[in-house]
Amino acid sequence: GNLHPEFQHFLAMGSRETKSVWSDKLGFDTAGTIFGLFSLGVNTNRDQVAYSFDKQALESQVQAFLEDYNSETSRWERAGRPADVDAFVRYDRVKWSEGLKLNLRRGTYGTFDAAKLRLSIYRPFCKQWLYFDRLLNERVYQFPHILPTPGCEAENVLIWLKTGTEWPMFALPSKQIPNLLPQGGSQCFPFYTYAEDGSNRRENITAWALAQFQARYGGDVTKWDIFHYVYGILHHPQYRARYAENLKRELPRIPLAPDAAQFRLCARVGEALAKLHLGYEQAPEYPLDWIETPDTNGHVSFAVRKMRLTPDKTALVVNETLTLAGIPAECFGYRLGNRSALDWVIDHYQVTTDARSGIVSDPNRADDPQYIVRLVGRVITVSLETLRLVGELEAGVSVGVAGGVVSVAGADAAGEGVAGGSTRA
C-alpha cells in the first residue's frame, strides 16, 4: 500500500497542538483543524467489572469491587504504608493497574454513586452500562468535557473513529460514551463540549473550519453541515481505499469536494448515515425466516449463549429452538474494521464468564427477551441501507480521482495542490 502525499494538504480533523490550548472556559479558535477537542475512548483496564449489559448486575459488581479495593487500601494503611505496593497488594480479588495503585498510595477510598451508571457504546451496535468513574476507569480522558451528564446525550453527538495500524479505519456516531476499542484504540470527535458539570456548552467545530467551508461553498454552510460532510467522507469507498495507508499512520484529513453540489450531496448522505447508525435499535427488521424447533415442553426460547452462522452464512443459529434463515449475502459487505456489522453483534452478544472475578456477562434481557433476535434483523437492515447510501456517495462525490480532490485553500497556488491532477498513484 502507498502513502499519498496530497493527503497532507487536506483539512486535519484534529491536532494535538489545537487540543492542548483548549479550555472549557474559553473554547478556542485556533486555525488549522476542523474539530477543537477530541479524545480517546474510555479505557477502564477492568472491563469485566466496569461494564455490564445489566444495570443491577453492574451496580453489585462495582460495589463488590469497591469493597475489595477499600479493604486493601485500609490494610495497606494499617500495615504502615509499605513502599512496595506491588508486593503488598493481593491480586486474587482486585485487578490492579497503575492508576488504581496510585489511588491506593494517595489513600483514596471509593464510594458507590448510582449517578455514575451510564449507558455506553462498548462495541459497534453493542451498548452496555458503564460505571463512569475516575477510580474505576484507568483513563476517562476528555469525556468529562464531552458527555459529562446523561442530559448531554440528548443533544451531543460524536464521531467514534477506529484508529491504529491493525484494523482498517471505521467510524460510527454516538450519543453515549464509547470504549477505547482494542488494537490501536479509538478517537472521538464531538459536536459540543462542556464544563464538567454539564454547563457552558460550546460548538467544537472551529470558526476557522467554518470559514474554509463557507468560502468554498457559500455563506449558508453550517457547522452541522460540516459535521455530516466529514461523516460522509469517512464512509467514501474511494477515500478509504486510496488513503488506507495514510489513515493507519495519522488521524483522517478531510478533502474538500470539487463543488458546492458535491459538498451538499456528501453532507446529505453523511447526515442520513449518521441518523441510520445512531437509530439502529429503531430500524425496521429485515424479514428473516424464523425456523422454530420447540423443545420437549413446546417452548421456543429467544435466549442466546453463543450464536453462530451456518457455514454458508445464510442462517444464524440463535439456540437449539430457533434459527434465523434468509440472511442476504450483501449485508456482510458493510464492514467495520475486519468484520461486518452483523459479525460484531454475533461476537458480542454472548454469555461469557471472567476467569479472575467469576463475573458473568449475560446480554439476555429479562424485560425484553426478543431484543437480541430483533437486533439481528435491524442490523441487517442498517447494513443494506448503509451500502445503498455509500453507493450514492461513490457515484456522486469524486475523491482521489482527477479533479476530485481539492486541497486546503492556498495550497493550489503554491503548486502543491492536486485539484485536477490527482491521478498519480
Side-chain angles (χ1 to χ4, degrees):
N2 291 349
L3 286 169
H4 291 280
E6 75 270 13
F7 191 77
Q8 296 310 316
H9 298 299
F10 301 162
L11 302 183
M13 266 182 84
S15 78
R16 288 197 168 74
E17 297 69 49
T18 311
K19 192 169 133 175
S20 65
V21 298
W22 185 90
S23 89
D24 65 338
K25 303 285 181 291
L26 304 169
F28 48 77
D29 269 317
T30 332
T33 63
I34 299 176
F35 292 88
L37 189 72
F38 58 99
S39 174
L40 290 158
V42 167
N43 176 24
T44 73
N45 255 14
R46 50 188 67 80
D47 287 0
Q48 298 81 5
V49 177
Y51 285 96
S52 180
F53 284 100
D54 182 80
K55 198 175 181 179
Q56 276 64 48
L58 180 59
E59 196 165 320
S60 57
Q61 69 202 39
V62 166
Q63 284 172 328
F65 176 87
L66 289 172
E67 210 162 289
D68 289 338
Y69 162 78
N70 287 342
S71 70
E72 283 293 89
T73 304
S74 121
R75 190 172 71 83
W76 178 74
E77 289 185 329
R78 290 196 309 274
R81 299 172 157 252
D84 192 350
V85 169
D86 295 1
F88 179 82
V89 295
R90 295 176 180 141
Y91 290 85
D92 54 335
R93 305 278 294 270
V94 176
K95 184 168 189 280
W96 292 96
S97 55
E98 287 315 304
L100 199 63
K101 286 174 183 169
L102 200 61
N103 278 306
L104 174 134
R105 286 195 189 91
R106 290 180 186 138
T108 307
Y109 284 82
T111 49
F112 179 78
D113 176 359
K116 292 178 174 179
L117 295 167
R118 299 279 298 273
L119 195 59
S120 85
I121 184 112
Y122 183 64
R123 293 289 181 268
F125 308 106
C126 176
K127 286 180 184 161
Q128 292 194 33
W129 290 92
L130 163 70
Y131 190 70
F132 181 52
D133 170 63
R134 283 192 157 96
L135 180 75
L136 228 83
N137 309 157
E138 186 73 354
R139 296 272 188 273
V140 295
Y141 299 110
Q142 299 291 342
F143 273 88
H145 291 296
I146 295 174
L147 289 166
T149 67
C152 300
E153 297 170 10
E155 56 186 19
N156 206 4
V157 62
L158 58 91
I159 294 172
W160 181 33
L161 190 79
K162 179 76 189 92
T163 55
T165 55
E166 288 86 351
W167 300 352
M169 181 275 293
F170 65 83
L172 277 174
S174 178
K175 289 180 157 297
Q176 282 86 31
I177 299 166
N179 179 266
L180 179 67
L181 289 175
Q183 267 86 41
S186 59
Q187 293 280 3
C188 306
F189 295 84
F191 189 83
Y192 293 117
T193 61
Y194 304 84
E196 288 206 19
D197 61 0
S199 67
N200 207 25
R201 186 185 87 176
R202 295 181 171 280
E203 293 177 338
N204 188 41
I205 287 178
T206 63
W208 177 85
L210 184 63
Q212 297 286 320
F213 281 91
Q214 286 185 341
R216 198 175 278 274
Y217 308 120
D220 58 344
V221 172
T222 67
K223 290 184 179 181
W224 279 113
D225 293 335
I226 296 170
F227 185 88
H228 291 130
Y229 174 80
V230 169
Y231 194 65
I233 289 289
L234 292 172
H235 282 80
H236 198 299
Q238 281 167 300
Y239 173 80
R240 288 163 75 143
R242 180 173 174 87
Y243 302 111
E245 289 304 307
N246 299 78
L247 291 164
K248 283 180 177 177
R249 287 171 171 74
E250 60 175 308
L251 290 174
R253 290 171 171 272
I254 304 299
L256 290 167
D259 56 51
Q262 291 192 37
F263 169 78
R264 288 285 167 204
L265 174 69
C266 188
R268 181 178 62 70
V269 173
E271 183 174 13
L273 283 166
K275 200 171 166 185
L276 176 70
H277 296 157
L278 280 171
Y280 73 91
E281 290 174 298
Q282 286 76 47
E285 290 169 56
Y286 183 83
L288 294 167
D289 187 13
W290 293 29
I291 300 169
E292 301 180 357
T293 318
D295 63 17
T296 46
N297 301 318
H299 289 303
V300 171
S301 165
F302 298 102
V304 309
R305 283 204 72 76
K306 186 170 171 48
M307 299 184 283
R308 56 180 179 81
L309 285 165
T310 54
D312 66 1
K313 290 190 167 190
T314 60
L316 180 67
V317 180
V318 176
N319 56 43
E320 284 154 19
T321 69
L322 181 63
T323 294
L324 307 177
I327 295 174
E330 313 87 86
C331 81
F332 295 100
Y334 172 38
R335 296 174 72 78
L336 300 105
N338 50 12
R339 62 189 80 155
S340 70
L342 185 56
D343 286 319
W344 280 106
V345 170
I346 295 165
D347 284 351
H348 287 282
Y349 282 89
Q350 60 168 292
V351 179
T352 57
T353 305
D354 178 47
R356 174 199 289 268
S357 58
I359 292 172
V360 176
S361 170
D362 185 347
N364 294 290
R365 298 189 180 184
D367 63 328
D368 187 1
Q370 295 188 14
Y371 175 85
I372 300 169
V373 172
R374 300 206 175 277
L375 180 64
V376 168
R378 292 188 162 113
V379 168
I380 291 172
T381 297
V382 167
S383 301
L384 297 173
E385 180 62 7
T386 298
L387 294 171
R388 188 190 70 75
L389 286 164
V390 162
E392 203 179 322
L393 206 56
E394 192 169 21
V397 181
S398 48
V399 169
V401 294
V405 176
V406 179
S407 53
V408 178
D412 296 353
E416 301 173 318
V418 289
S422 70
T423 46
R424 61 174 187 258

